Amino acid sequence: IRNGLTNYQFKIGSSYANSKPVDCAGLAQEAFVECKRVFGGLTSESWPTLLSDVSWPKDASTTVAAGTDPGSFLVAAELQPFSQVAKLLSGTNTRGANIYLELQFAGTVVAATVDAFVEADALVTIANGQMDISY
């Protein structure tokens, strides 16, 4: 559930990845569009309506009947912006930096579980004539 989340922002080291907080208030349309941009689709093979219009802005815990959508909320950040100027160089440098997620809530938060994951293809570093590839 959203838990009254009003906005969020990702911080990498001492800089923000998104220049302004992503709005999650009301129907959370800005957050929904951001997640859609990052993931392309907001469904899964195990639950075809993982994030539906009905469950997306849910702020209170409710009893869930078997086979119904329990409600989920998702925040995401795209750290691989592509540049037409430097075709081989893109993305945000996260190597050796801590990544923080700052969440702003409107009031008291109901107990919740926060799951986090990172998806990466490959990190290629070239320094002093030596190439290093990390996954």
Side-chain angles (χ1 to χ4, degrees):
I1 62 173
R2 181 174 51 177
N3 266 328
L5 180 66
T6 56
N7 63 61
Y8 70 89
Q9 205 167 9
F10 282 93
K11 191 173 190 179
I12 300 171
S14 61
S15 302
Y16 285 104
N18 41 343
S19 59
K20 70 175 192 67
V22 177
D23 183 23
C24 301
L27 295 176
Q29 291 176 337
E30 188 175 326
F32 189 85
V33 169
E34 185 71 9
C35 290
K36 189 87 169 158
R37 187 177 69 81
V38 171
F39 294 105
L42 300 178
T43 61
S44 72
E45 291 179 18
S46 60
W47 193 268
T49 57
L50 180 63
L51 294 175
S52 69
D53 293 343
V54 174
S55 67
W56 177 255
K58 188 187 292 188
D59 281 320
S61 121
T62 55
T63 303
V64 179
T68 62
D69 187 349
S72 301
F73 199 78
L74 177 70
V75 299
E78 175 62 72
L79 301 179
Q80 192 174 346
F82 290 99
S83 168
Q84 295 301 320
V85 177
K87 291 182 174 40
L88 296 178
L89 301 175
S90 66
T92 303
N93 185 4
T94 58
R95 193 170 190 168
N98 291 319
I99 301 176
Y100 304 95
L101 172 59
E102 296 181 356
L103 303 170
Q104 180 77 38
F105 294 91
T108 305
V109 177
V110 177
T113 300
V114 177
D115 297 311
F117 67 94
V118 175
E119 180 182 356
D121 297 322
L123 173 64
V124 179
T125 308
I126 302 173
N128 300 323
Q130 181 174 347
M131 182 166 50
D132 177 41
I133 300 178
S134 304
Y135 297 93

